Amino acid sequence: MSAPLLALLLQAQPSGLTEHKITNMFNPLSTPTRVMFNMGMLEFAITGAIFAVVAGLLAYTMIRFRKRRDDDSRQEPPQIYGSNQIEAAWTVIPILIVFVIAGVSARSVWGVEDASPPANALHISVVGHQYWWEIYYPAYNIVTANEIHLPVSRNRDRATYFEYTSKDVIHSLWVPEVIGKTDLIPNRVNHTWVDPSQAGVYWGSCTEFCGVQHANMLIQFVVQEPADFDKWVADQQKAQPVPTEISAGQKRFQISGCWACHEVKGTRFNGRIGPDLTHLMSRREIGSGVLDNTPENLRSWVVNPQQAKPGCLMPQSKISGENLDQLISYLETLK
Amino acid sequence: MASINYPLENTGVGQRTEHSVLQILYRWIATTDHKKLGLMYIICMLLYFVISGLMAVAIRIQLAIPNNHFVSPQTFNQLFTMHGTTMVFLVGMPMVAGLGNYVVPLMIGARDMAFPRLNAFGFWAFFFGGILLYSSYAFGSVPDVGWFGYAPLTSKTFSPGASTDFWVLGVLVAGFGTIASAINVVATTVSMRCPGMTLRRMPMFVWVMLIDALLILLIFPPLAAAQSMLMIDRLAGANFFNANAGGNVLLWQHIFWIFGHPEVYVLIFPIFAIMSEVVPVFSRKPIFGKPAMVAAIVMIFFIGSGVWAHHMFTVGLSSLSNTFFATATMLVGIPTGIKIFNWTATMYGGKIRFATPMLFACGFLFQFLVAGLTGIMLATAPFDWQLHHTYFVVGHFHFTLIGGLVFGLFAGIYYWYPKATGKMFSETIGRLHFWIFMIGFNVTFIPMHFAGFLGMPRRVYTYLPGHGLETWNLISTWGVAIQIVGILLFVVNVIWGLWKGPKAGDDPWDAWTLEWATTSPPPEYNFEKIPVVRSGRPLWDLKHPEDPDWKFE
Amino acid sequence: MSIARDWHLPDRGTIGILSLIFTESILFLMFVVAYIVYSGQSKTGPFPNDVLSIPILATICLLSSSLTIVLAENSLKKGNLANFKLWWIATIALGLEFLMATAAEWRHLINDEHLTITTNLFGTTYYSLVGLHATHVIVGMIFLIIVLLATLFGRNIVRQERRVKFLSWYWHFVDTVWVVVFTVVYVIGR
């Protein structure tokens, strides 16, 4: 297929993917989250029953044994000091309840934590940074940021196994409907896995306070049907085509120092401090979820990222006018 | 050597001379009297409560709508750090010390604490620790790492400047005072009880304060250790939490939570103690199952010291570890539940008088029950993998801390207010305070559980619109306005009581423990003659000579 | 009532010093745990085996000082002030020797072996743990010296036998901690 036609096809956003902006943890869409959901439901049932009984007893006691308004006597009620049988009863019953919950919890913990990856599992490494996510697919040699694409995996046929670590402070990755929280810790590798059962775009966030822009360290899981996922992989693996001459925009990228932090595969730009920009335009968001990836937002982000994300580690570029236009048009070629 | 015979000089007996302002000030600054120190703790605690509460107001205004610009991200992070740190160390801990120091000697028939000068040291260490922490504002270096400051965010690399140093040093200095106070409480309860007051006859309040003090002695060294390690890292360039040198940043979390989890029991035990005094008196029955209540506290002491890693379910500990800590956490709910059952049984069959202290005690019971149950939800590791570090947790611990601790504290303050001041507050204002504060509290903190279900993490200065979080956050913020009214009513009541309240007399509540056997307020020497007791409720015995407790104990 | 006459509770000073010893034990436990957790984890040297030599003399001195302080106490109980002063000074001297030996060891480690608190995990945990202990020895020494000065300046030390006893308990605690630190650092950890 000719290069321009391919480029045209790949420019289209994944079609028909529902974006889950409301991330309800009671909508589990993977095996681990279903386990967590079931645990939660059992909890609600048991604690709900306990609440009904105890609160009911409390309310009854307060109403039944209140001092009546017309009771002026100094007569004290019978002075009861205790009852061994009653103490035993309300010790033993809670112990039994704990036994049940603890047993279910243990089974769930083992099931989720100690699961080992099947042979055809997809492996993804995630490295936490202040305030963005570096994502690496070792099998495909893909590096991207802030948006994790993974295949739908009904019946655990194509599960995704993650390795988490951090380059700086502790972060934590959470996508409520798809994957439970696991921390990204420097000098340590954590493992977790997921098998999302429904295609869609799912919002998640960093859930370990990591500094001034912790609130804006968001993430998206883009769960795709296998065919779409393979297409995405092929697209991401392409390096940028090498033009016959360096464009003005590419020169601007260099002069403005962008290359010091950002990598664009297929060029000399190999900065590893900030997100990889090779396929910047294929992503839905800028700045790890702070802004939708639109032309105006891209422009304002490049000029002054501190406006949308004050305190993030990307400095103001102080570019304007024609220089800015050139730079933006270069960035917009990074599909 | 039971120290019954305290020297009585300088007690001001019979003296009624005029004092200048400086003399009055000196009397308070140089005092070693447990009652003055207790009041000083309580007053400072209430001031910090208001300051920290205002921070919470600012936090809620910022979060009322998405993408708000009421405060900057840096300011917000400072606000929740200082709010949490203040509430735990400058409100909670002085509450423990203040209540313990004021009430315990009176309840055991002693003239003062075992070590009065150590007592004064403890207060001033707390006082200067707080000043040190808040002086960070003067230097523009306010702590912003959260009240449990995880490494390596707190390292010199990621927290340059002095803000984290202020946080560590302020809390460390105040912590020395806490340890001193705890030693004092242990020595007092063991060595200074009046004749006849065996451990069995010791009031529940004193039992609980004793166990609380022992728990403090157990867990404050880990806090000091962790903070010292952090300081050595920051000031001397050491490697305790330096991942590059092979350090394990989780070491901080383990040591901190070995302190941090039992700390919440340290904070709530005095409230349990208050409950075990207020509920019986206003139900007109003795505490149901006193031995079981003491056993429950001791069980919580031991089990509660072994559950710390339920704060760490997401760090990637082994499944065995996670299961152990989940199970242990659920187990600690059992003795706590037993206490709620025993308080209920105390009321059952009684003649409940819903005066203001009892209203707050009842509010405590319902709200602490809810808090305990949401705690059980968090204890189950798999469910915690969804709930951890979300607004569900924020809702949970505010239910324990406000719904539990603050409500119980108000019960205690209203209960002993007449004893400490000699005046009675207004029952009407007290009732209004209770209902308004209760409504406001629930309006603020119930919605937080739902925000957590919908994916809102904690410690975020803002959130995106369109993610279902707006409604809950707005409702939470409105609740704050209602709570403020409640608190103002409390302040009004305190002042009204002092100014216009009727004289309370020795024993306005018709209670049974020794503090009600002396005048209101008590003289500096507490009791004219050291009492001799024969049961756990000496005043009941005096009032009911035909049916004394010692016949049944 | 005979209840008052027969009412005997533990000495508050005893409870006080025991509470202090309890809480301090936990503090040391934390630094011992940190030492053990980081044992063998240093990415770069120097390593314990290379640079640590067993401080035999210092240990003998410190542990002997526990003996001399008991002898001093016994003398005080019998009212023998001369012997009390003798054994008390011996205790102080032995404690001083321990501190000087520690200082010498540290000077050697820093100057010759280039091991500081920042060097690696071993350096960090070693200096923290041994330093924490040494600090407690210093505090003990200060109180020992105060007692000595009080005695030399004519205060009635026999009346303070109770407080001298509490100080000796603290001193025994410090020595016991040294046994633990010694075992962990110089025996197990090497």
Side-chain angles (χ1 to χ4, degrees):
Chain A
M1 200 181 285
S2 72
L5 189 56
L6 188 60
L8 202 63
L9 270 176
L10 292 173
Q11 196 181 78
Q13 293 291 342
S15 60
L17 272 186
T18 338
E19 183 175 343
H20 292 239
K21 273 186 138 181
I22 307 227
T23 53
N24 184 348
M25 68 169 72
F26 296 115
N27 181 26
L29 296 170
S30 70
T31 306
T33 48
R34 246 188 306 276
V35 168
M36 297 169 203
F37 172 81
N38 290 336
M39 187 83 240
M41 288 299 115
L42 177 66
E43 287 295 316
F44 277 119
I46 294 181
T47 56
I50 296 176
F51 181 78
V53 169
V54 179
L57 211 60
L58 262 173
Y60 171 77
T61 305
M62 288 175 193
I63 298 173
R64 168 91 160 74
F65 296 104
R66 71 191 186 283
K67 181 170 179 209
R68 310 292 148 143
R69 218 173 286 232
D70 50 9
D71 182 355
D72 273 333
S73 71
R74 295 284 309 262
Q75 178 77 20
E76 306 281 28
Q79 303 288 293
I80 313 283
Y81 294 93
S83 154
N84 285 340
Q85 293 93 320
I86 297 183
E87 295 288 351
W90 64 40
T91 308
V92 168
I93 296 177
I95 291 181
L96 292 172
I97 296 176
V98 165
F99 192 65
V100 167
I101 309 178
V104 176
S105 173
R107 221 181 48 204
S108 311
V109 166
W110 260 292
V112 172
E113 247 194 282
D114 292 344
S116 44
N120 68 340
L122 170 65
H123 287 267
I124 302 180
S125 299
V126 185
V127 180
H129 295 257
Q130 281 174 321
Y131 306 96
W132 61 280
W133 311 88
E134 178 182 355
I135 298 141
Y136 183 52
Y137 294 71
Y140 303 124
N141 206 22
I142 295 173
V143 179
T144 181
N146 298 327
E147 191 177 289
I148 301 188
H149 286 247
L150 55 170
V152 169
S153 168
R154 301 181 180 96
N155 313 313
R156 280 197 69 182
D157 53 344
R158 190 88 201 279
T160 303
Y161 273 73
F162 289 101
E163 274 188 356
Y164 291 165
T165 188
S166 168
K167 259 284 170 357
D168 41 40
V169 299
I170 302 181
H171 304 270
S172 188
L173 200 161
W174 184 41
V175 181
E177 288 154 310
V178 181
I179 195 169
K181 295 180 192 69
T182 304
D183 291 354
L184 290 76
I185 300 172
N187 200 33
R188 183 188 173 92
V189 178
N190 276 339
H191 300 268
T192 185
W193 67 279
V194 73
D195 57 346
S197 58
Q198 190 181 97
V201 177
Y202 303 94
W203 282 85
S205 50
C206 173
T207 48
E208 182 58 68
F209 181 66
C210 52
V212 67
Q213 277 298 322
H214 162 67
N216 282 326
M217 187 169 161
L218 306 171
I219 194 167
Q220 283 187 340
F221 270 26
V222 180
V223 179
Q224 298 173 290
E225 298 295 340
D228 292 328
F229 175 72
D230 293 335
K231 219 180 297 166
W232 175 83
V233 167
D235 173 46
Q236 293 286 313
Q237 285 177 315
K238 282 183 149 46
Q240 290 305 319
V242 180
T244 41
E245 58 172 83
I246 312 285
S247 69
Q250 206 168 348
K251 271 207 205 87
R252 187 54 46 193
F253 192 87
Q254 182 180 337
I255 297 171
S256 307
C258 309
W259 65 272
C261 295
H262 295 285
E263 172 163 16
V264 179
K265 283 207 171 50
T267 69
R268 291 160 298 135
F269 306 139
N270 59 357
R272 299 303 297 273
I273 299 178
D276 183 296
L277 296 181
T278 314
H279 301 282
L280 171 65
M281 298 316 290
S282 74
R283 291 188 217 140
R284 306 166 60 91
E285 304 289 323
I286 303 172
S288 74
V290 168
L291 296 167
D292 292 335
N293 193 354
T294 65
E296 317 84 64
N297 283 344
L298 182 60
R299 181 173 280 262
S300 68
W301 175 260
V302 167
V303 168
N304 186 8
Q306 297 296 318
Q307 179 140 24
K309 210 166 166 179
C312 76
L313 292 159
M314 176 165 159
Q316 299 178 39
S317 65
K318 300 191 171 66
I319 313 176
S320 57
E322 199 192 322
N323 293 340
L324 182 59
D325 293 336
Q326 288 168 355
L327 181 60
I328 298 295
S329 53
Y330 170 63
L331 290 176
E332 285 174 348
T333 67
L334 300 176
K335 301 199 202 299
Chain B
M1 178 184 113
S3 308
I4 297 177
N5 302 306
Y6 250 88
L8 290 181
E9 58 262 26
N10 301 326
T11 56
V13 179
Q15 288 171 340
R16 273 244 172 263
T17 49
E18 277 301 307
H19 297 281
S20 69
V21 173
L22 270 178
Q23 278 178 307
I24 296 176
L25 212 59
Y26 175 77
R27 260 222 318 258
W28 283 83
I29 293 179
T31 187
T32 59
D33 171 39
H34 73 100
K35 297 181 291 300
K36 285 210 179 60
L37 288 169
L39 286 173
M40 285 152 75
Y41 269 119
I42 299 287
I43 293 169
C44 285
M45 169 206 99
L46 290 171
L47 282 170
Y48 278 121
F49 181 71
V50 169
I51 295 173
S52 183
L54 289 171
M55 292 181 191
V57 172
I59 291 173
R60 280 314 325 161
I61 294 177
Q62 165 67 15
L63 291 174
I65 55 175
N67 285 332
N68 204 357
H69 295 284
F70 183 65
V71 292
S72 72
Q74 290 92 333
T75 306
F76 185 90
N77 297 340
Q78 291 170 354
L79 281 172
F80 75 70
T81 301
M82 289 300 279
H83 170 77
T85 308
T86 304
M87 285 301 191
V88 173
F89 294 108
L90 301 178
V91 175
M93 295 316 297
M95 180 265 303
V96 175
L99 266 182
N101 279 311
Y102 192 95
V103 176
V104 166
L106 287 168
M107 263 196 188
I108 61 175
R111 298 209 184 279
D112 206 314
M113 298 288 285
F115 304 116
R117 284 172 298 189
L118 187 67
N119 203 0
F121 165 78
F123 172 79
W124 290 108
F126 145 71
F127 185 82
F128 284 111
I131 302 261
L132 183 56
L133 178 67
Y134 273 82
S135 66
S136 62
Y137 278 101
F139 290 93
S141 241
V142 183
D144 61 356
V145 289
W147 89 272
F148 44 80
Y150 277 178
L153 184 62
T154 46
S155 67
K156 212 64 184 174
T157 318
F158 300 107
S159 282
S163 54
T164 302
D165 302 315
F166 276 108
W167 177 71
V168 173
L169 286 173
V171 173
L172 198 56
V173 169
F176 285 130
T178 304
I179 295 182
S181 241
I183 295 178
N184 216 351
V185 170
V186 175
T188 306
T189 52
V190 173
S191 303
M192 311 277 291
R193 283 167 281 129
C194 63
M197 189 178 282
T198 59
L199 285 175
R200 279 198 73 140
R201 294 179 191 156
M202 210 164 69
M204 272 306 299
F205 184 90
V206 184
W207 260 110
V208 175
M209 295 308 286
L210 171 63
I211 310 282
D212 204 43
L214 288 169
L215 192 56
I216 289 175
L217 292 180
L218 180 68
I219 65 165
F220 267 73
L223 174 68
Q227 293 187 312
S228 308
M229 292 177 189
L230 180 61
M231 283 314 288
I232 297 173
D233 268 16
R234 285 181 61 86
L235 292 182
N239 303 302
F240 279 109
F241 310 118
N242 182 1
N244 293 331
N248 186 357
V249 299
L250 289 182
L251 183 67
W252 168 272
Q253 291 191 32
H254 278 293
I255 302 183
F256 183 86
W257 287 119
I258 286 175
F259 153 76
H261 188 79
E263 165 68 0
V264 314
Y265 298 121
V266 168
L267 291 176
I268 204 69
F269 277 3
I271 307 303
F272 289 168
I274 294 175
M275 290 294 291
S276 289
E277 297 301 321
V278 170
V279 170
V281 166
F282 289 91
S283 306
R284 309 312 300 164
K285 285 176 64 214
I287 188 79
F288 188 91
K290 185 170 170 186
M293 290 294 256
V294 175
I297 288 276
V298 173
M299 291 307 301
I300 298 175
F301 174 96
F302 282 111
I303 306 178
S305 304
V307 302
W308 75 85
H310 68 227
H311 298 269
M312 297 167 63
F313 280 146
T314 59
V315 305
L317 298 175
S318 70
S319 47
L320 186 62
S321 300
N322 284 335
T323 303
F324 170 81
F325 283 105
T327 311
T329 308
M330 289 180 236
L331 283 174
V332 87
I334 295 179
T336 318
I338 288 175
K339 295 189 82 67
I340 296 186
F341 303 148
N342 275 281
W343 287 316
T344 311
T346 305
M347 296 193 300
Y348 193 93
K351 227 194 236 188
I352 308 172
R353 205 186 126 213
F354 287 102
T356 305
M358 190 58 173
L359 283 175
F360 278 99
C362 291
F364 167 92
L365 284 167
F366 282 105
Q367 284 157 178
F368 197 72
L369 173 65
V370 170
L373 294 174
T374 57
I376 294 292
M377 292 186 206
L378 289 164
T380 50
F383 201 28
D384 186 65
W385 289 334
Q386 290 283 25
L387 297 172
H388 176 71
H389 270 357
T390 64
Y391 258 80
F392 184 88
V393 177
V394 180
H396 160 73
F397 69 68
H398 281 95
F399 256 81
T400 57
L401 288 172
I402 303 187
L405 191 146
V406 173
F407 271 73
L409 181 62
F410 279 133
I413 291 181
Y414 277 113
Y415 182 57
W416 280 303
Y417 177 97
K419 174 55 57 182
T421 63
K423 304 296 220 52
M424 186 50 89
F425 53 84
S426 155
E427 189 58 36
T428 313
I429 302 180
R431 209 159 281 181
L432 265 174
H433 165 203
F434 168 72
W435 285 110
I436 292 179
F437 189 62
M438 176 137 169
I439 293 170
F441 160 73
N442 281 286
V443 168
T444 296
F445 291 103
I446 290 181
M448 288 191 183
H449 297 86
F450 301 119
F453 291 152
L454 288 169
M456 182 170 179
R458 61 186 286 198
R459 305 176 145 191
V460 290
Y461 73 91
T462 191
Y463 50 92
L464 288 178
H467 288 249
L469 302 174
E470 292 90 321
T471 316
W472 302 121
N473 274 284
L474 192 58
I475 297 175
S476 278
T477 303
W478 277 116
V480 170
I482 305 174
Q483 286 182 70
I484 292 178
V485 175
I487 299 295
L488 284 172
L489 284 168
F490 169 70
V491 174
V492 164
N493 209 356
V494 168
I495 298 174
W496 184 92
L498 289 171
W499 183 32
K500 281 228 153 93
K503 272 203 166 28
D506 292 0
D507 180 19
W509 306 120
D510 195 2
W512 305 310
T513 40
L514 283 175
E515 74 268 30
W516 306 104
T518 184
T519 58
S520 301
E524 185 139 343
Y525 49 85
N526 290 350
F527 301 95
E528 277 188 33
K529 271 172 41 165
I530 296 293
V532 178
V533 305
R534 289 182 72 184
S535 81
R537 291 192 300 170
L539 292 191
W540 171 275
D541 297 344
L542 283 174
K543 294 172 188 174
H544 299 267
E546 79 291 351
D547 181 28
D549 263 2
W550 50 261
K551 276 215 182 126
F552 296 94
E553 280 180 1
Chain C
M1 247 194 204
S2 66
I3 295 180
R5 250 182 298 136
D6 298 330
W7 189 244
H8 296 294
L9 289 173
D11 182 339
R12 60 196 161 112
T14 306
I15 306 295
I17 197 72
L18 287 178
S19 302
L20 180 69
I21 288 174
F22 171 64
T23 204
E24 294 267 54
S25 306
I26 309 291
L27 182 65
F28 276 103
L29 181 65
M30 291 297 124
F31 279 92
V32 167
V33 165
Y35 191 90
I36 294 176
V37 162
Y38 281 151
S39 244
Q41 303 290 318
S42 294
K43 284 189 172 166
T44 61
F47 300 102
N49 228 338
D50 306 330
V51 301
L52 283 185
S53 49
I54 302 186
I56 302 182
L57 182 62
T59 305
I60 292 178
C61 284
L62 191 65
L63 296 182
S64 311
S65 69
S66 260
L67 179 61
T68 54
I69 207 174
V70 169
L71 293 170
E73 266 194 284
N74 286 344
S75 305
L76 188 63
K77 251 187 262 197
K78 291 189 224 141
N80 189 340
L81 269 181
N83 276 1
F84 167 73
K85 283 184 225 176
L86 178 73
W87 291 119
W88 199 257
I89 292 174
T91 309
I92 293 176
L94 289 167
L96 207 58
E97 164 60 30
F98 174 83
L99 287 173
M100 292 197 312
T102 306
E105 182 188 14
W106 283 22
R107 193 173 49 225
H108 165 72
L109 286 172
I110 294 172
N111 292 337
D112 305 327
E113 309 286 1
H114 307 293
L115 177 75
T116 66
I117 203 171
T118 70
T119 309
N120 55 8
L121 290 175
F122 165 55
T124 295
T125 52
Y126 169 82
Y127 284 109
S128 311
L129 180 57
V130 175
L132 183 68
H133 176 260
T135 310
H136 281 76
V137 174
I138 294 175
V139 169
M141 292 283 291
I142 293 175
F143 280 99
L144 288 175
I145 293 173
I146 290 176
V147 168
L148 179 66
L149 291 175
T151 314
L152 292 178
F153 278 96
R155 295 291 181 140
N156 188 349
I157 200 71
V158 178
R159 237 171 52 112
Q160 300 290 356
E161 191 194 317
R162 200 177 134 252
R163 294 205 170 109
V164 170
K165 180 178 68 173
F166 296 144
L167 179 54
S168 78
W169 288 6
Y170 174 81
W171 192 253
H172 292 311
F173 163 69
V174 167
D175 286 0
T176 313
V177 171
W178 177 247
V179 172
V180 174
V181 171
F182 177 84
T183 312
V184 167
V185 173
Y186 295 97
V187 177
I188 301 180
R190 250 164 30 111

